Amino acid sequence: VRTVPYPLANAGADTVICFGTSAQLNASGGSIYTWTPTKYLNNPNIPDPISQTPKADILYTVEVRDVLGCPKPVYDTVLINVAKIVANAGPKDTNVVLGQPLQLTATGSTIYSWSPATWLNNPSIFNPLSLPQENITYQVRVSNAQGCFAFDTINVKVFKFDPDLLVPSAFTPGGDGRNDLFRPILIGMKSLDAFRVYNRWGQLVYSTTQVEQGWDGNYLGKPQDPGTYAWYAEGVNYLGKKLEKKGTVILIR
């Protein structure tokens, strides 16, 4: 009496692919193959189907059977890891004054390459330091060891005057996406420590320390009347010097 051994199922090694590409599966060990789940597979009943552009990580299980004896199935799994790189070079636009160092910071993966390398201390790290002399657009290529990559850019505008808090004299919060927010523009500033808006009776209607935020013309959920409002701004420039400014703004509807 001779026994026939069970199949030796082998779904292959786990693999990493780039988002938007396909993965070749390769199973062995038997005569009949069934893959589950069938999602993205061009044929789940062959030993070497293709997982066609999977959108996310997916774990496949292959059932392997033989025709030599007992048809008991044996199973193995393989993980397809989909690397989707989302490059981020920081804010779309940033401002500095001449002589102000600019700390760039990118995210998205493990390998970084900035171009052009002009004024950068090291273009091959995620956080190079720039000392721009003119307006410039930097592009960062973010990639991984498997060769997946993505790009992002940051526009740097260089002002050739002293650090300042620039505050507009009017705004139109009409919801049309143009001049809807009243906020200071930081030039050569390290931080915004206060930005407050008051109505004609001296009542505080808005306050923030967040650079990208601003007043939308509402107070307690209600649109405020057109007219003149007072504001106060305070911050610290890149040299560590405190700067205070105040003035008025006209709300136009």
Side-chain angles (χ1 to χ4, degrees), residues 16-39:
V16 178
I17 64 171
C18 302
F19 182 81
T21 62
S22 300
Q24 176 69 64
L25 303 179
N26 287 284
S28 61
S31 302
I32 303 171
Y33 300 87
T34 304
W35 293 87
T36 55
T38 61
K39 191 173 184 180

Side-chain angles (χ1 to χ4, degrees), residues 70-88:
C70 179
K72 180 178 179 179
V74 182
Y75 302 89
D76 194 21
T77 60
V78 61
L79 175 65
I80 305 300
N81 182 268
V82 180
K84 184 176 183 180
I85 294 179
V86 179
N88 185 353

Side-chain angles (χ1 to χ4, degrees), residues 107-155:
T107 59
S109 191
T110 56
I111 304 172
Y112 299 87
S113 178
W114 294 84
S115 63
T118 310
W119 303 312
L120 296 181
N121 66 332
N122 187 341
S124 301
I125 58 178
F126 78 97
N127 60 343
L129 192 66
S130 173
L131 193 63
Q133 307 298 303
E134 301 288 347
N135 297 345
I136 190 170
T137 296
Y138 286 114
Q139 182 183 75
V140 63
R141 184 182 189 272
V142 181
S143 60
N144 62 11
Q146 287 73 34
C148 311
F149 64 90
F151 294 95
D152 194 25
T153 59
I154 180 172
N155 300 311

Side-chain angles (χ1 to χ4, degrees), residues 139-199:
Q139 182 183 75
V140 63
R141 184 182 189 272
V142 181
S143 60
N144 62 11
Q146 287 73 34
C148 311
F149 64 90
F151 294 95
D152 194 25
T153 59
I154 180 172
N155 300 311
V156 182
K157 187 170 184 178
V158 179
F159 290 88
K160 297 181 180 181
F161 53 76
D162 293 336
D164 203 354
L165 288 164
L166 303 181
V167 183
S169 58
F171 76 118
T172 57
D176 60 359
R178 295 182 299 176
N179 202 27
D180 284 334
L181 291 180
F182 174 54
R183 63 183 181 89
I185 300 173
L186 277 63
I187 306 297
M189 302 298 294
K190 182 169 63 176
S191 66
L192 177 66
D193 299 331
F195 180 62
R196 298 190 285 267
V197 183
Y198 302 86
N199 61 21

